[in-house]
Amino acid sequence: MNEYIKLLNSEPILRRLSAVQLIAYFGAWFSNVAIYTLLLEMKVSAEVVAFTAMLHFLSGVIQAPFSGSIIDSMKPKKLMLVLILFEIFATLFLVFVNEVSDLWLLYVLIFIKMAAASFYFTTEMSLLPKLLNGERLQRANEIHSIIWSFSYTLGMALSGFVVFWFGIKVAFVLDASMFVVAFWLLYRLDIDVNFLKSQESLLEMMRDTFRYLKRFPHAVHLMLIHAFVGLTAFDALVALMVDKYYASVIATSLALGLLHASRAVGLVIGPMILSRWISNKRVSYIFVFQAMAIWLWAYLMKDFYMSLFASVIVGLFTTTLWSYTYTLLQKNIEQKYYGRIVAYNDMLFLSSAAFTSFMIGLLATENYSLEFITSLIGLGFFIGAFYFTWIVKTQNIKDVKI
């Protein structure tokens, strides 16, 4: 933890960006719990729940091929401020969703909100390698993951109570208010990085990126291995678990908040324990541990309190996998292509998460048990372990700490 504090003290831009991230992410989870509580109160089908979860990721997939080229063509601060504005208005307008006939509006607003959030995230992650490198970059990515997880933990837990006590609309307004504060903090930040605006057209930049990936296929493999972490898109699964197993035990909003918050506890703790230990040779072990933790969750799922415990174990390995594989990609590509390749990386990650959400809904409607669905997700991480072992043996991958 001391290393993270020292890094933040020595890097004022990273410190302010982290503060903006903390506030924005914290607010975002209010609307997340409120959205799924609203859907369950409407008594929508499993397909609607899964489609809503898929939309959270699909929007980022659709805009990713263009976002990278735009990132490499615009100053990062200006772009990030515009994106936060989109998030403010898309979140605030969620208060107008009241019944099943308003689902189209919910879908549109989620699409806009998450497209802007994904775009913002890609912009920030392409900015970090211009500020830091080597082990400091890995630490910055871990700080990003820890903040996301901490915001997720506290936001989900508190939002469950806020929705329970004050209602869904209050949660949406609070969420939008958080984004207003984030906008103000970012507006006052001076981001001093070298920015070379590309003279190429967006289409030519896209072509150039594909030529680069063809010359250096290791970048494609690193993007694919990072996409395995998208299998942990559990939003639809958790909502269906609450509806099937826990609705008679605890209020829906509280169950949603506590389940997500318990997993996020593991997400926060994980990198603090594993960051010094992990290396290219050990990533495969983390994939295996993640698979076994998910299988444990499947086994304990029917018991709410044991499920909370298993959720913590599931979260222990996810953040480390996410941050390390992301840093590997940043370490092994040329700076000229940061924005574009990070965007394509996020597209693959979000595609994986969207596909996972879709399959959860599809298999649930086909009467496959939630335990079986969860076990399939765990199996995916065993495949990831074998794939990463092959990547390290066949590709020239620089270690993060070198």
Side-chain angles (χ1 to χ4, degrees):
M1 180 60 75
N2 288 335
E3 294 177 351
Y4 301 134
I5 295 174
K6 289 179 181 177
L7 178 61
L8 290 172
N9 287 335
S10 64
E11 297 289 343
I13 296 178
L14 176 64
R15 184 169 64 248
R16 177 62 67 89
L17 288 174
S18 298
V20 172
Q21 178 197 351
L22 175 64
I23 294 169
Y25 282 5
F26 181 84
W29 303 125
F30 277 92
S31 59
N32 199 48
V33 168
I35 286 169
Y36 287 105
T37 302
L38 178 63
L39 290 174
L40 293 179
E41 287 183 357
M42 290 179 179
K43 300 188 183 303
V44 299
S45 65
E47 295 102 313
V48 172
V49 172
F51 180 74
T52 303
M54 185 175 68
L55 266 183
H56 277 77
F57 308 108
L58 191 61
S59 53
V61 174
I62 293 173
Q63 51 99 48
F66 310 100
S67 63
S69 299
I70 295 172
I71 288 167
D72 286 337
S73 303
M74 290 184 64
K75 291 185 177 180
K77 177 181 174 179
K78 180 179 179 181
L79 180 58
M80 292 160 78
L81 286 172
V82 170
L83 293 170
I84 291 179
L85 281 176
F86 273 102
E87 291 189 80
I88 291 171
F89 288 106
T91 304
L92 192 58
F93 288 167
L94 285 169
V95 299
F96 298 112
V97 179
N98 297 302
E99 51 193 31
V100 174
S101 61
D102 297 326
L103 281 178
W104 67 271
L105 178 60
L106 177 68
Y107 296 153
V108 170
L109 293 175
I110 288 176
F111 187 90
I112 295 172
K113 175 182 169 68
M114 298 312 299
S118 175
F119 208 150
Y120 181 95
F121 169 80
T122 303
T123 306
E124 185 174 3
M125 295 309 291
S126 62
L127 174 62
L128 288 182
K130 299 174 185 177
L131 300 171
L132 305 161
N133 54 53
E135 195 167 350
R136 290 169 70 84
L137 176 59
Q138 181 192 353
R139 292 285 179 266
N141 285 336
E142 289 172 352
I143 289 171
H144 187 103
S145 300
I146 290 170
I147 289 174
W148 183 93
S149 304
F150 176 78
S151 303
Y152 190 73
T153 304
L154 193 59
M156 282 289 195
L158 290 181
S159 62
F161 288 101
V162 168
V163 172
F164 180 71
W165 286 329
F166 303 109
I168 292 169
K169 295 188 186 300
V170 171
F172 290 146
V173 173
L174 283 174
D175 183 358
S177 301
M178 291 288 182
F179 283 117
V180 171
V181 175
F183 180 91
W184 181 79
L185 287 175
L186 182 61
Y187 180 79
R188 293 174 58 85
L189 173 63
D190 182 20
I191 301 178
D192 184 20
V193 295
N194 293 326
F195 174 73
L196 299 174
K197 184 174 181 178
S198 176
Q199 301 303 312
E200 301 172 329
S201 66
L202 292 182
L203 183 59
E204 180 56 33
M205 291 174 72
M206 292 172 66
R207 289 173 179 167
D208 186 35
T209 305
F210 284 114
R211 288 194 292 266
Y212 176 81
L213 293 174
K214 186 175 181 180
R215 293 197 310 271
F216 301 101
H218 69 273
V220 178
H221 292 298
L222 290 176
M223 287 191 287
L224 289 172
I225 199 65
H226 181 74
F228 273 85
V229 188
L231 294 174
T232 60
F234 293 134
D235 286 12
L237 180 64
V238 169
L240 294 175
M241 287 165 54
V242 169
D243 188 47
K244 184 174 182 179
Y245 294 133
Y246 315 137
S248 61
V249 177
I250 187 172
T252 297
S253 60
L254 297 181
L256 285 169
L258 290 173
L259 277 168
H260 285 298
S262 61
R263 181 163 66 97
V265 169
L267 293 173
V268 172
I269 297 172
M272 298 180 188
I273 300 172
L274 299 170
S275 63
R276 285 182 173 274
W277 177 81
I278 194 171
S279 65
N280 285 5
K281 295 180 180 179
R282 293 170 174 167
V283 171
S284 296
Y285 297 121
I286 303 295
F287 272 97
V288 171
F289 294 152
Q290 180 73 84
M292 295 176 68
I294 292 173
W295 281 1
L296 175 67
W297 195 24
Y299 179 73
L300 299 174
M301 183 177 293
K302 290 183 179 179
D303 187 301
F304 176 69
Y305 298 102
M306 294 305 295
S307 184
L308 291 177
F309 165 75
S311 297
V312 176
I313 306 302
V314 168
L316 280 177
F317 310 103
T318 307
T319 304
T320 301
L321 275 180
W322 182 92
S323 60
Y324 193 86
T325 54
Y326 215 120
T327 310
L328 271 183
L329 179 66
Q330 293 168 322
K331 177 79 174 180
N332 286 275
I333 58 175
E334 294 180 20
Q335 180 173 342
K336 174 185 176 181
Y337 298 94
Y338 279 159
R340 283 165 277 177
I341 291 182
V342 166
Y344 284 118
N345 178 65
D346 292 344
M347 180 182 70
L348 289 175
F349 174 83
L350 293 170
S351 297
S352 172
F355 177 76
T356 301
S357 299
F358 172 77
M359 290 304 299
I360 288 170
L362 178 63
L363 293 174
T365 56
E366 294 295 326
N367 294 320
Y368 287 93
S369 71
L370 298 182
E371 292 86 347
F372 174 77
I373 296 170
T374 309
S375 298
L376 280 182
I377 295 172
L379 180 61
F381 283 95
F382 279 112
I383 297 172
F386 286 112
Y387 181 35
F388 189 81
T389 300
W390 178 85
I391 291 173
V392 171
K393 288 182 178 179
T394 60
Q395 306 294 311
N396 183 23
I397 306 296
K398 300 176 186 176
D399 197 287
V400 166
K401 295 181 174 63
I402 294 176

